[in-house]
Amino acid sequence: MRASEARRRLPSVDALLRSEPGRRACEVLGRPLVKLAIREVLDELRAAAAGGVDPPAADDILARAFQLASGAANGLVPVINATGVILHTGLGRAPLPKEAAEAAARAATGYADLEVERATGRRGRRTARAELLLRALTGAEAALVVNNGAAGVLLALAALAKGKQVLVSRGELIEIGGEFRIPDIMGASGAKLVEVGTTNRTRPADFRNALSPRTGAILKVHPSNYRVVGFTATPSLADLVALGRKAGVPVLYDLGSGLLHRYPGLPADEPAADEALEQGADLVIFSGDKLLGGPQAGCVLGRAELVERLRRHPIARAVRVDVMQVAALERVLAAYARDGRTELPVWRMLREPPESVHRRAAALAEALDGELEGAHVVACRSTVGGGSLPGHEIPSYGVEVRVPDPPAMAARLRMGRPSVFCRVDERGVVFDLRTVPEERLPDLARAIQYALEGDELPDEEA
Ligand SMILES: *Cc1c(COP(=O)(O)O)cnc(C)c1O
């Protein structure tokens, strides 16, 4: 079929809306949503037709539009994360402790003393409680909580270095997922990036030579999703602090992952917020939903005079946290304050001994055994993810299920109920049990069985 003819054969939006299934879809999902979904699907098919692809039947077009519209109407779908990636950005990063999620729901479904002092009735600050907790936990002179880590970096650069130069080591000009790139954030803040040293080696002397009266800040960035290995050097925080003090410019440290303290069992080169402050960083910035194990948030800690400049900057208002983030973050920080970090899901998953994960893997393999042979326990490695602890892998256990077409099986699992995300290798799919809590095991087993039913084994393997 010629492309122009294929395009002509596509039904109109109105015809589809008027059809019986179209009308029913409008009743269930609302006409504006169905109409837009049909338009989107037709646009896609028109583009495909231009490339010579025959258009599908009208029912098929409506089915696709219905899927698009109902996906939007139903909203987020909870999933079982069997990838073994603990801070999976695509799956929402840190799962909250129940107590924090409930505090967020309570605060959001009613009213709360978000920005009012109950004792006086006067206007308060929404982040005052979380900031007090952060100061208590890290010894910081002052603290500020904003919407996310990227907002914290943007705000710090805009408030302290707009129109001035900011020195960054070339080896730390990172990009992390979701379009966070240091040069772009720098540009948006109005500060001018000055790259110092080379990709693999930067020395304190390089920074010394780059300092000038136009320098507004020195920025150190934790390369949170990669490692430079081999012939490398980067100035220590202490080196930068010494240079900054001498030149009278603040040293900002984008920590990324949000480790409050150094805990045993973590890589020694993972920086902790309290140590960075102790070593003289003027501001440290980190995320709430990475290793901290809380909701999305950006925590900025450091010298009171600098924090106040950030607080007064107009961007601070534009990147403030909402009531649910506040409520959840307070609960998570309070858990740290009473030394209850290990109650947090992220830390439970990070610290669980492999033998304990093995028990869940064995239970899953056994639950599957009645249905299929070849579901077996395998040793695997979990990762922290979310741009934290790059290269750090945690010994774990999973269940491997051999299937003829692993990517197709993974797709069926994603679309199943409950939806399951797993790993794929050449032989089959692997479910890492480190990120699957005990109470989800029956659901996971059921989802796997359903997905397998759609997978016909070829004769030679049957
Ligand atoms: C994750 C990360 C950010 C961005 O934090 P978000 O909370 O995702 O906005 C910034 N810098 C570093 C080094 C990071 O790892």
Side-chain angles (χ1 to χ4, degrees), residues 93 148-150 174 176 180 221-222 224 254-256 287 289-290 297 387:
R93 285 203 189 148
N148 58 8
I174 63 157
I176 62 161
F180 178 87
V221 184
H222 180 49
S224 54
D254 176 10
L255 286 175
S287 298
D289 55 355
K290 294 184 181 170

Side-chain angles (χ1 to χ4, degrees), residues 4 63 180 207 253 255 291 296 326:
S4 56
F180 178 87
F207 272 90
Y253 195 175
L255 286 175
L291 286 176
Q296 177 181 301
V326 168

Side-chain angles (χ1 to χ4, degrees), residues 296-352:
Q296 177 181 301
C299 303
V300 185
L301 311 179
R303 272 176 40 209
E305 176 248 326
L306 300 180
V307 169
E308 283 316 308
R309 279 165 66 188
L310 267 60
R311 210 189 287 292
R312 287 195 304 269
H313 193 278
I315 287 179
R317 173 63 181 78
V319 296
R320 76 176 183 189
V321 273
D322 88 317
V323 67
M324 289 188 281
Q325 290 169 291
V326 168
L329 184 63
E330 288 167 359
R331 292 335 311 142
V332 168
L333 293 173
Y336 277 95
R338 58 168 192 270
D339 209 14
R341 163 184 63 104
T342 51
E343 300 158 19
L344 305 174
V346 165
W347 286 95
R348 270 209 309 271
M349 289 188 272
L350 275 169
R351 289 164 37 98
E352 186 179 17

